[in-house]
Amino acid sequence: MPKKRSLTKKLLTWYRANKRSMPWRDHPDPYAVWVSEIMLQQTRVETVVPYFERWMMRFTTIGKLAAASQQDVLNLWEGLGYYSRARNLHKAAQVVVDEHQGALPADLSALQKLPGVGRYTAGAIASLGFGLDAPVVDGNIKRVLARIFNVEEAVDTTVGEKRIWALAEEYLPGGEAKDYNQALMELGATICTPRNPKCETCPVNTICEANKLDLQGERPVTKPKAEVPHYTVAAAVIQKRGRVLLAQRPADGLLGGMWEYPGGKQEDGESLPVCLRREIREELGVKIKVGEELGLYRHAYSHFRVTLHAFLCELKVGKPKAIEAQAIKWVWLKDLGDYPMGKLDRMISETIVAKR
DNA sequence: CAAGCGTGGCA
DNA sequence: TTGCCAAGCTT
């Protein structure tokens, strides 16, 4: 086993000489650390930077965030994905105002009680925001520690996770958690990468067990992943006097709270127009006439792929009432930007505008 | 505790 | 084109 002192010293020295500049790193305060950590969940630094800048400009304090509408919050988050993060951040801000006088608590277990804050994020706010001695484990750290210590258990199982957290805690240098945690993550992001790690320039290559055994490619061990299903989906662009009908998705689940063109999944053996008429009847309670196809869009989500066919439609019978959807609204084309949508619906919007 | 939850970059 | 993965959390 590597010696603690020698490992942590090498990592800290390397980090202080090589850390990248980031907006939340250059002026750290607990609120900025919190927002950045939520945005960075499963998301790359370069993607987050512009969202973070806009967010901190618009919601300068936790109080301002708490007082905002969910619509404004989702709008700033649009395009970033995993929208429950935005809804939870908003909710948590209200908890912080109501129960912690508007300031984040400098306490690991109190932090972890906030919606959207798990063990990693609580540790990150505690160490990076408050300078406390708390360990963190993210995807980078799992990989880095699994290689340095040649961990043979799969890191995405309960047993493997426990082992990694124990290593993170055991090797945490007292008083240096802030830089040490970031050093491990920075090493994972820039040197100890999933593919083609740059072991030649790694500051701990003489200590790393996987490097010594030439097992970098075999670590970390993970369990096999499930196949992703493929769905065919139909969406209706229902127009009326220059406006289109948007429906708001239910608050939870996929794209929760976002606006979309109504429609849904094609069932076995069903034609697309039939699918669309059925979905619109169930979702809005009206009948439509299906017209020409506006476009075909392919998109990959985390756990499935879709091919979406969008059709220009007309209302035939009845006035749309929200049944499956939370709410519906006729929206001028120029106002589409005010409504937070997922990628696919945004693509359809662009096609509509381009075709006019 | 396995499954659900977005999007973009890269090989 | 497809699969993999990226500063995870919730149910």
Coordinates of all heavy atoms in Angstrom, one line a residue, chain A residues 118-186:
Chain A
G118 N -26.4 14.9 -2.0 CA -26.0 13.6 -1.5 C -24.7 13.6 -0.8 O -24.2 14.7 -0.4
R119 N -24.1 12.5 -0.6 CA -22.9 12.4 0.2 C -21.7 13.2 -0.5 O -20.9 13.8 0.1 CB -22.5 10.9 0.3 CG -21.4 10.7 1.3 CD -21.2 9.2 1.6 NE -20.1 9.0 2.5 CZ -19.6 7.8 2.8 NH1 -20.1 6.7 2.3 NH2 -18.6 7.7 3.7
Y120 N -21.6 13.0 -1.8 CA -20.6 13.7 -2.6 C -20.7 15.2 -2.4 O -19.8 15.9 -2.0 CB -20.5 13.3 -4.1 CG -19.7 14.4 -4.8 CD1 -18.3 14.3 -4.8 CD2 -20.3 15.5 -5.4 CE1 -17.5 15.2 -5.4 CE2 -19.5 16.4 -6.0 CZ -18.1 16.3 -6.0 OH -17.4 17.3 -6.6
T121 N -21.9 15.8 -2.8 CA -22.1 17.2 -2.8 C -21.9 17.8 -1.4 O -21.4 18.9 -1.2 CB -23.4 17.5 -3.4 OG1 -23.5 16.9 -4.7 CG2 -23.6 19.0 -3.6
A122 N -22.4 17.1 -0.4 CA -22.3 17.6 1.0 C -20.8 17.7 1.3 O -20.3 18.7 1.9 CB -23.0 16.7 2.0
G123 N -20.0 16.7 1.0 CA -18.6 16.7 1.2 C -17.9 17.8 0.5 O -17.0 18.5 1.0
A124 N -18.3 18.1 -0.8 CA -17.7 19.1 -1.6 C -18.0 20.5 -1.0 O -17.1 21.3 -0.9 CB -18.3 19.0 -3.0
I125 N -19.2 20.8 -0.6 CA -19.6 22.1 0.0 C -18.8 22.2 1.3 O -18.2 23.3 1.6 CB -21.1 22.2 0.2 CG1 -21.8 22.1 -1.1 CG2 -21.4 23.5 0.9 CD1 -23.4 22.1 -0.9
A126 N -18.7 21.2 2.1 CA -18.0 21.3 3.4 C -16.5 21.5 3.2 O -16.0 22.4 3.8 CB -18.2 20.0 4.2
S127 N -15.9 20.8 2.3 CA -14.5 21.0 2.1 C -14.1 22.2 1.2 O -13.2 23.0 1.6 CB -13.9 19.7 1.5 OG -14.4 19.4 0.3
L128 N -14.7 22.3 0.1 CA -14.4 23.4 -0.8 C -15.0 24.7 -0.4 O -14.4 25.8 -0.6 CB -14.8 23.1 -2.3 CG -14.5 21.7 -2.8 CD1 -14.8 21.6 -4.3 CD2 -13.0 21.3 -2.6
G129 N -16.2 24.7 0.2 CA -16.8 26.0 0.6 C -16.5 26.4 2.0 O -16.3 27.6 2.2
F130 N -16.3 25.5 2.9 CA -16.1 25.8 4.3 C -14.7 25.4 4.8 O -14.4 25.7 6.0 CB -17.2 25.2 5.2 CG -18.6 25.8 5.0 CD1 -19.6 25.1 4.4 CD2 -18.8 27.1 5.5 CE1 -20.8 25.7 4.2 CE2 -20.1 27.6 5.3 CZ -21.1 26.9 4.7
G131 N -13.9 24.7 4.0 CA -12.6 24.3 4.5 C -12.6 23.2 5.5 O -11.6 23.1 6.2
L132 N -13.7 22.5 5.6 CA -13.7 21.4 6.6 C -13.0 20.1 6.1 O -12.9 20.0 4.9 CB -15.2 21.1 7.0 CG -16.0 22.2 7.5 CD1 -17.5 21.8 7.7 CD2 -15.4 22.7 8.9
D133 N -12.6 19.3 7.0 CA -12.0 18.0 6.6 C -13.0 16.9 6.2 O -13.2 16.0 7.0 CB -11.1 17.5 7.7 CG -9.7 18.2 7.7 OD1 -9.3 18.7 6.6 OD2 -9.1 18.3 8.8
A134 N -13.6 17.0 5.1 CA -14.6 16.0 4.6 C -14.1 15.4 3.3 O -13.7 16.1 2.4 CB -15.9 16.7 4.4
P135 N -14.1 14.1 3.2 CA -13.8 13.4 2.0 C -14.9 13.5 0.9 O -16.0 13.8 1.3 CB -13.6 12.0 2.4 CG -14.5 11.8 3.5 CD -14.6 13.1 4.3
V136 N -14.5 13.3 -0.3 CA -15.5 13.3 -1.4 C -15.1 12.1 -2.3 O -14.0 11.7 -2.4 CB -15.6 14.5 -2.3 CG1 -16.1 15.7 -1.4 CG2 -14.3 14.9 -2.9
V137 N -16.2 11.5 -2.9 CA -15.9 10.5 -4.0 C -16.9 10.8 -5.2 O -18.1 10.8 -5.0 CB -16.2 9.1 -3.4 CG1 -16.2 8.1 -4.6 CG2 -15.2 8.7 -2.4
D138 N -16.3 11.0 -6.3 CA -17.0 11.2 -7.5 C -16.5 10.2 -8.5 O -15.7 9.3 -8.2 CB -16.9 12.6 -8.0 CG -15.6 12.9 -8.6 OD1 -14.6 12.3 -8.2 OD2 -15.4 13.7 -9.5
G139 N -16.9 10.3 -9.8 CA -16.5 9.4 -10.8 C -15.0 9.4 -11.0 O -14.3 8.4 -11.2
N140 N -14.4 10.6 -11.0 CA -13.0 10.7 -11.1 C -12.2 10.0 -10.0 O -11.3 9.3 -10.3 CB -12.5 12.2 -11.1 CG -12.9 12.9 -12.4 OD1 -12.6 12.5 -13.5 ND2 -13.6 14.1 -12.2
I141 N -12.7 10.3 -8.8 CA -12.0 9.7 -7.6 C -12.1 8.2 -7.6 O -11.2 7.5 -7.2 CB -12.5 10.5 -6.3 CG1 -12.0 11.9 -6.4 CG2 -11.9 9.8 -5.1 CD1 -12.4 12.8 -5.2
K142 N -13.2 7.7 -8.0 CA -13.4 6.3 -8.0 C -12.3 5.7 -8.9 O -11.7 4.7 -8.6 CB -14.8 5.9 -8.6 CG -15.9 5.9 -7.6 CD -17.2 5.5 -8.3 CE -18.4 5.7 -7.4 NZ -19.6 5.5 -8.0
R143 N -12.1 6.3 -10.1 CA -11.2 5.8 -11.1 C -9.8 5.9 -10.6 O -9.0 5.0 -10.7 CB -11.4 6.5 -12.4 CG -10.5 6.0 -13.5 CD -10.8 6.7 -14.8 NE -10.7 8.1 -14.8 CZ -11.7 9.0 -14.7 NH1 -13.0 8.5 -14.7 NH2 -11.5 10.3 -14.7
V144 N -9.4 7.1 -10.1 CA -8.1 7.4 -9.6 C -7.7 6.5 -8.5 O -6.6 5.8 -8.5 CB -7.9 8.9 -9.2 CG1 -6.6 9.1 -8.5 CG2 -8.1 9.8 -10.4
L145 N -8.6 6.3 -7.5 CA -8.2 5.5 -6.3 C -8.2 4.0 -6.7 O -7.4 3.2 -6.2 CB -9.2 5.8 -5.2 CG -9.1 7.2 -4.6 CD1 -10.1 7.3 -3.4 CD2 -7.7 7.5 -4.1
A146 N -9.1 3.6 -7.6 CA -9.2 2.2 -8.0 C -7.9 1.9 -8.7 O -7.4 0.7 -8.6 CB -10.4 2.0 -9.0
R147 N -7.3 2.8 -9.4 CA -6.0 2.6 -10.1 C -4.8 2.6 -9.1 O -4.0 1.7 -9.1 CB -5.8 3.6 -11.2 CG -6.7 3.2 -12.4 CD -6.5 4.3 -13.5 NE -7.3 3.9 -14.7 CZ -7.7 4.7 -15.7 NH1 -7.3 6.0 -15.6 NH2 -8.4 4.3 -16.7
I148 N -4.7 3.7 -8.3 CA -3.6 3.8 -7.4 C -3.6 2.6 -6.4 O -2.5 2.1 -6.2 CB -3.7 5.1 -6.6 CG1 -3.5 6.3 -7.5 CG2 -2.7 5.2 -5.4 CD1 -3.7 7.7 -6.8
F149 N -4.7 2.2 -5.9 CA -4.8 1.1 -5.0 C -5.1 -0.3 -5.6 O -5.4 -1.2 -4.9 CB -5.7 1.4 -3.8 CG -5.3 2.6 -3.0 CD1 -5.7 3.9 -3.3 CD2 -4.4 2.4 -1.9 CE1 -5.3 5.0 -2.6 CE2 -4.0 3.5 -1.2 CZ -4.4 4.8 -1.5
N150 N -5.2 -0.3 -6.9 CA -5.6 -1.5 -7.6 C -6.8 -2.2 -7.0 O -6.8 -3.4 -6.6 CB -4.4 -2.5 -7.6 CG -4.7 -3.7 -8.6 OD1 -5.5 -3.6 -9.5 ND2 -4.1 -4.8 -8.3
V151 N -7.9 -1.5 -6.9 CA -9.1 -2.0 -6.3 C -9.8 -3.0 -7.3 O -10.0 -2.7 -8.4 CB -10.1 -0.8 -6.0 CG1 -11.5 -1.4 -5.5 CG2 -9.5 0.1 -4.9
E152 N -10.0 -4.2 -6.8 CA -10.6 -5.2 -7.7 C -12.1 -5.4 -7.6 O -12.7 -5.9 -8.5 CB -9.9 -6.6 -7.4 CG -8.4 -6.5 -7.7 CD -7.7 -7.8 -7.5 OE1 -8.4 -8.9 -7.3 OE2 -6.5 -7.8 -7.4
E153 N -12.7 -4.8 -6.6 CA -14.2 -4.9 -6.5 C -14.7 -3.8 -7.5 O -14.1 -2.8 -7.8 CB -14.7 -4.5 -5.2 CG -14.4 -5.4 -4.0 CD -13.2 -4.9 -3.2 OE1 -12.4 -4.0 -3.7 OE2 -13.0 -5.5 -2.1
A154 N -15.9 -4.1 -8.1 CA -16.5 -3.2 -9.0 C -16.9 -1.9 -8.3 O -17.5 -2.0 -7.2 CB -17.8 -3.8 -9.7
V155 N -16.5 -0.7 -8.8 CA -16.7 0.5 -8.0 C -18.1 1.0 -8.1 O -18.5 1.9 -7.4 CB -15.8 1.6 -8.5 CG1 -14.3 1.3 -8.4 CG2 -16.1 2.0 -10.0
D156 N -19.0 0.4 -8.9 CA -20.4 0.8 -8.9 C -21.3 -0.2 -8.2 O -22.4 -0.4 -8.5 CB -20.9 1.0 -10.4 CG -20.5 -0.2 -11.3 OD1 -19.9 -1.2 -10.8 OD2 -20.9 -0.1 -12.5
T157 N -20.7 -0.9 -7.2 CA -21.5 -1.7 -6.3 C -21.3 -1.2 -4.9 O -20.4 -0.4 -4.6 CB -21.0 -3.2 -6.3 OG1 -19.6 -3.2 -5.9 CG2 -21.0 -3.8 -7.7
T158 N -22.2 -1.7 -4.0 CA -22.2 -1.2 -2.6 C -20.8 -1.5 -2.0 O -20.2 -0.6 -1.3 CB -23.3 -1.9 -1.8 OG1 -24.5 -1.7 -2.5 CG2 -23.4 -1.2 -0.4
V159 N -20.3 -2.7 -2.2 CA -19.0 -3.1 -1.6 C -17.9 -2.2 -2.1 O -17.1 -1.7 -1.4 CB -18.8 -4.6 -1.9 CG1 -17.4 -5.0 -1.3 CG2 -19.9 -5.4 -1.3
G160 N -17.8 -2.1 -3.5 CA -16.8 -1.3 -4.1 C -16.8 0.2 -3.6 O -15.8 0.8 -3.4
E161 N -18.0 0.8 -3.6 CA -18.2 2.1 -3.2 C -17.6 2.3 -1.7 O -17.0 3.3 -1.4 CB -19.6 2.6 -3.2 CG -20.2 2.5 -4.6 CD -20.9 3.8 -4.9 OE1 -21.7 4.2 -4.1 OE2 -20.7 4.3 -6.0
K162 N -18.0 1.4 -0.9 CA -17.6 1.5 0.5 C -16.0 1.5 0.6 O -15.5 2.3 1.4 CB -18.1 0.2 1.3 CG -19.0 0.6 2.4 CD -19.5 -0.6 3.2 CE -19.1 -0.5 4.6 NZ -19.7 -1.6 5.4
R163 N -15.4 0.7 -0.2 CA -14.0 0.6 -0.2 C -13.4 1.9 -0.7 O -12.4 2.4 -0.1 CB -13.6 -0.6 -1.2 CG -12.1 -0.7 -1.4 CD -11.6 -2.0 -0.7 NE -10.2 -2.3 -1.2 CZ -9.1 -1.6 -0.9 NH1 -9.2 -0.6 0.0 NH2 -8.0 -2.0 -1.4
I164 N -13.9 2.5 -1.7 CA -13.4 3.8 -2.2 C -13.6 4.9 -1.2 O -12.6 5.7 -0.9 CB -14.1 4.1 -3.6 CG1 -13.8 3.1 -4.6 CG2 -13.6 5.5 -4.0 CD1 -12.4 3.0 -5.2
W165 N -14.8 5.0 -0.6 CA -15.0 6.0 0.4 C -14.0 5.8 1.6 O -13.5 6.8 2.1 CB -16.4 5.9 0.9 CG -17.4 6.8 0.1 CD1 -18.2 6.3 -0.9 CD2 -17.6 8.2 0.1 NE1 -18.9 7.3 -1.4 CE2 -18.5 8.5 -0.9 CE3 -17.0 9.2 0.8 CZ2 -19.0 9.8 -1.1 CZ3 -17.4 10.5 0.6 CH2 -18.4 10.8 -0.4
A166 N -13.7 4.6 2.0 CA -12.8 4.3 3.1 C -11.4 4.8 2.7 O -10.7 5.4 3.5 CB -12.8 2.8 3.4
L167 N -11.0 4.6 1.5 CA -9.7 5.1 1.0 C -9.6 6.6 1.0 O -8.6 7.2 1.4 CB -9.4 4.5 -0.4 CG -9.0 3.0 -0.4 CD1 -9.0 2.5 -1.9 CD2 -7.7 2.7 0.2
A168 N -10.7 7.2 0.5 CA -10.8 8.7 0.4 C -10.6 9.3 1.8 O -9.9 10.3 2.0 CB -12.1 9.1 -0.3
E169 N -11.3 8.6 2.8 CA -11.2 9.2 4.1 C -9.9 8.9 4.8 O -9.3 9.8 5.4 CB -12.4 8.5 4.9 CG -12.4 9.0 6.4 CD -13.9 8.9 6.9 OE1 -14.6 8.0 6.4 OE2 -14.2 9.7 7.8
E170 N -9.4 7.7 4.6 CA -8.1 7.3 5.3 C -7.0 8.1 4.8 O -6.1 8.5 5.6 CB -7.9 5.8 5.0 CG -6.7 5.2 5.7 CD -6.4 3.8 5.3 OE1 -7.4 3.2 4.8 OE2 -5.3 3.3 5.5
Y171 N -7.0 8.5 3.5 CA -5.8 9.2 2.9 C -6.0 10.7 2.9 O -5.3 11.4 2.2 CB -5.5 8.6 1.5 CG -4.7 7.3 1.6 CD1 -5.4 6.2 1.9 CD2 -3.4 7.3 1.4 CE1 -4.6 5.0 2.0 CE2 -2.6 6.2 1.5 CZ -3.3 5.0 1.8 OH -2.6 3.8 1.9
L172 N -7.1 11.2 3.5 CA -7.4 12.6 3.5 C -6.4 13.3 4.5 O -6.4 13.1 5.7 CB -8.8 12.9 4.0 CG -9.3 14.3 3.8 CD1 -9.6 14.6 2.4 CD2 -10.6 14.5 4.7
P173 N -5.5 14.2 4.0 CA -4.6 14.9 4.8 C -5.3 16.0 5.6 O -5.9 16.9 5.1 CB -3.6 15.5 3.9 CG -4.3 15.7 2.6 CD -5.4 14.6 2.5
G174 N -5.2 16.0 7.0 CA -5.9 16.9 7.8 C -5.5 18.4 7.5 O -4.4 18.7 7.2
G175 N -6.6 19.2 7.4 CA -6.3 20.6 7.1 C -6.2 20.9 5.6 O -6.1 22.1 5.3
E176 N -6.1 19.9 4.8 CA -5.8 20.1 3.4 C -6.9 19.6 2.5 O -6.7 19.4 1.3 CB -4.5 19.4 3.0 CG -3.3 19.7 3.9 CD -2.5 20.9 3.4 OE1 -3.0 21.8 2.8 OE2 -1.3 20.8 3.6
A177 N -8.1 19.3 3.0 CA -9.1 18.6 2.3 C -9.5 19.4 1.0 O -9.7 18.8 0.0 CB -10.3 18.3 3.1
K178 N -9.5 20.7 1.1 CA -10.0 21.5 0.0 C -9.1 21.3 -1.2 O -9.6 21.0 -2.3 CB -9.9 23.0 0.4 CG -10.3 23.9 -0.7 CD -10.4 25.4 -0.2 CE -10.7 26.3 -1.3 NZ -11.0 27.7 -0.9
D179 N -7.8 21.3 -1.1 CA -6.9 21.1 -2.2 C -6.8 19.6 -2.6 O -6.6 19.3 -3.7 CB -5.5 21.7 -2.0 CG -5.5 23.2 -2.2 OD1 -6.6 23.8 -2.6 OD2 -4.5 23.9 -2.1
Y180 N -6.7 18.8 -1.5 CA -6.5 17.4 -1.8 C -7.7 16.8 -2.6 O -7.5 16.1 -3.6 CB -6.4 16.6 -0.5 CG -6.3 15.1 -0.7 CD1 -5.1 14.5 -1.1 CD2 -7.4 14.3 -0.4 CE1 -5.0 13.2 -1.3 CE2 -7.3 12.9 -0.5 CZ -6.1 12.4 -1.0 OH -6.0 11.0 -1.2
N181 N -8.9 17.1 -2.2 CA -10.1 16.6 -3.0 C -10.1 17.1 -4.4 O -10.3 16.3 -5.3 CB -11.4 17.1 -2.3 CG -11.7 16.4 -1.0 OD1 -11.2 15.3 -0.7 ND2 -12.5 17.0 -0.2
Q182 N -9.8 18.4 -4.6 CA -9.7 18.9 -6.0 C -8.6 18.3 -6.7 O -8.6 18.1 -8.0 CB -9.6 20.4 -5.9 CG -10.9 21.0 -5.4 CD -10.9 22.5 -5.5 OE1 -11.4 23.1 -6.5 NE2 -10.4 23.2 -4.5
A183 N -7.5 18.0 -6.0 CA -6.3 17.4 -6.7 C -6.7 16.0 -7.3 O -6.3 15.7 -8.4 CB -5.1 17.2 -5.7
L184 N -7.4 15.2 -6.5 CA -7.8 13.9 -7.0 C -8.7 14.0 -8.2 O -8.6 13.3 -9.2 CB -8.5 13.1 -5.9 CG -7.6 12.5 -4.8 CD1 -8.5 11.8 -3.8 CD2 -6.7 11.5 -5.4
M185 N -9.7 15.0 -8.1 CA -10.6 15.2 -9.2 C -9.9 15.7 -10.5 O -10.1 15.3 -11.6 CB -11.7 16.1 -8.8 CG -12.7 15.4 -7.8 SD -14.2 16.3 -7.5 CE -13.6 17.6 -6.3
E186 N -9.0 16.7 -10.3 CA -8.3 17.3 -11.4 C -7.4 16.3 -12.0 O -7.3 16.3 -13.3 CB -7.5 18.5 -10.8 CG -6.9 19.4 -11.9 CD -7.9 20.4 -12.4 OE1 -9.1 20.2 -12.1 OE2 -7.5 21.3 -13.1

